Amino acid sequence: MSISSIRQEIDNSRQSGALKTIVIPPCPALLARLQQAMAQAQPDLNEVARIAASDVAMSATLLRTANSPVHIADGMPCTTVGQAMTRIGLRETGAIMTGFLLKNAIPVNSPHLARFWERSAKRASAMAFVARQLPGLSVDLAHTYGLFCHVGMPVLLQCVRGYGSTMVEAAARVDRSYIATENANHRTDHAVAGALLARAWNMAPELMAGIRLHHDLRSLGDRFVEPEVHTLVAAGLIAEHLMRLHEGLPEDADWAAHAPKALEWLSVSLADVEQWDDLLRPVLDDL
């Protein structure tokens, strides 16, 4: 499915299909401002600093990161947002702020999604790491994809009756995929709901399409799907695998079935992935 066909699918379903009753929380105004500032060829550092300083908790998050052992080294503690931005860099500043704003826009208070945002942050860091190993994949786009990849789950949990039970059932079944169970019970799934949110929030079209296809891995390499979307989805499969390795979890069905195709698309070997696992572990340990 191309970006345009995915956009059309979502718009049609939003008007008269299963997505008609899905409630999408509004995009935070500060996130919209941040996206606009970061999208410039030369981002306005003063605007980013103003956005960060406008929320005390977000400022505290940046300062805590800048003063963490990973960044502080032998330097003096940062006491202002500007000092924190200088120390950790604009890219990481934007990533931290995006994660903070997303987490606060969609609060998760359910045992069905325990540690959801913690794992989303870990997935985002793994995606950023993988992007740095690959030519042509934007680190910023990869990080945002990691954050937003499963955002459809809390969206559905908030507004679809019985979705919590569906999550338990989908995780337990071995005869069909997670999203197949979601669709059987609700005529939609978290990949579609996540793409809807990305569409409603005016996120990058590649991000919307990647979220929509992140479990539709049979489409990898399909000539109708834009190469940038293939790369995002394939990198996401590797990032998820690396995250599961770090957590001591067995490989999931998507990796078992589609890893060869994803590795081929990215021109990456299993030996590369094993090396990345070694390099990424200390990064994930610090999260």
Side-chain angles (χ1 to χ4, degrees):
M1 299 173 69
S2 67
I3 290 174
S4 60
S5 64
I6 289 172
R7 185 185 294 117
Q8 190 63 51
E9 173 202 39
I10 290 171
D11 289 348
N12 290 343
S13 186
R14 186 63 166 157
Q15 291 172 10
S16 59
L19 296 180
K20 189 175 181 179
T21 59
I22 303 299
V23 179
I24 297 296
C27 180
L30 290 179
L31 181 57
R33 280 177 59 189
L34 177 63
Q35 288 176 289
Q36 186 175 10
M38 296 294 289
Q40 306 302 316
Q42 293 185 326
D44 185 340
L45 301 182
N46 291 327
E47 170 67 354
V48 175
R50 283 192 294 269
I51 296 168
S54 66
D55 187 293
V56 173
M58 185 158 55
S59 298
T61 300
L62 288 172
L63 287 167
R64 185 165 58 249
T65 301
N67 291 326
S68 67
V70 174
H71 291 287
I72 195 167
D74 296 325
M76 295 291 291
C78 294
T79 58
T80 69
V81 167
Q83 290 172 350
M85 288 176 57
T86 299
R87 176 169 290 171
I88 67 180
L90 180 61
R91 174 175 288 164
E92 186 168 354
T93 295
I96 291 169
M97 291 168 64
T98 298
F100 176 90
L101 292 166
L102 178 59
K103 180 178 179 180
N104 282 273
I106 308 176
V108 175
N109 300 302
S110 168
H112 297 298
L113 287 174
R115 298 175 54 242
F116 179 81
W117 289 120
E118 178 185 334
R119 297 194 80 246
S120 294
K122 182 179 287 189
R123 184 180 299 105
S125 292
M127 275 296 295
F129 173 87
V130 171
R132 293 187 187 99
Q133 321 307 314
L134 300 172
L137 178 56
S138 162
V139 174
D140 295 337
L141 181 64
H143 185 276
T144 305
Y145 174 84
L147 279 177
F148 280 80
C149 189
H150 292 294
V151 75
M153 289 182 175
V155 168
L156 292 176
L157 190 60
Q158 287 178 2
C159 60
V160 174
R161 181 177 298 178
Y163 183 70
S165 297
T166 294
M167 295 180 75
V168 176
E169 178 189 351
R173 296 192 71 139
V174 296
D175 59 325
R176 63 187 182 192
S177 69
Y178 197 103
I179 61 172
T181 298
E182 291 176 313
N183 277 285
N185 292 355
H186 306 293
R187 296 191 303 120
T188 193
D189 57 66
H190 72 274
V192 175
L196 171 62
L197 182 138
R199 171 94 166 112
W201 285 16
N202 294 315
M203 308 298 286
E206 297 83 4
L207 179 72
M208 176 198 69
I211 294 171
R212 170 64 181 85
L213 297 176
H214 78 271
H215 283 302
D216 189 8
L217 293 158
R218 292 171 300 177
S219 66
L220 267 174
D222 188 301
R223 64 188 180 90
F224 294 108
V225 180
E226 287 79 359
E228 298 84 358
V229 177
H230 284 314
T231 299
L232 200 58
V233 171
L237 185 64
I238 293 177
E240 190 76 27
H241 178 65
L242 291 171
M243 192 171 77
R244 293 179 69 86
L245 287 175
H246 180 261
E247 296 176 339
L249 298 174
E251 67 179 32
D252 65 4
D254 283 345
W255 178 260
H258 302 289
K261 187 180 288 188
L263 295 174
E264 180 183 8
W265 175 264
L266 298 173
S267 298
V268 169
S269 68
L270 280 173
D272 292 326
V273 175
E274 291 174 2
Q275 183 180 30
W276 295 353
D277 177 35
D278 291 336
L279 294 172
L280 181 61
R281 281 179 181 270
V283 177
L284 298 183
D285 285 341
D286 288 332
L287 295 178

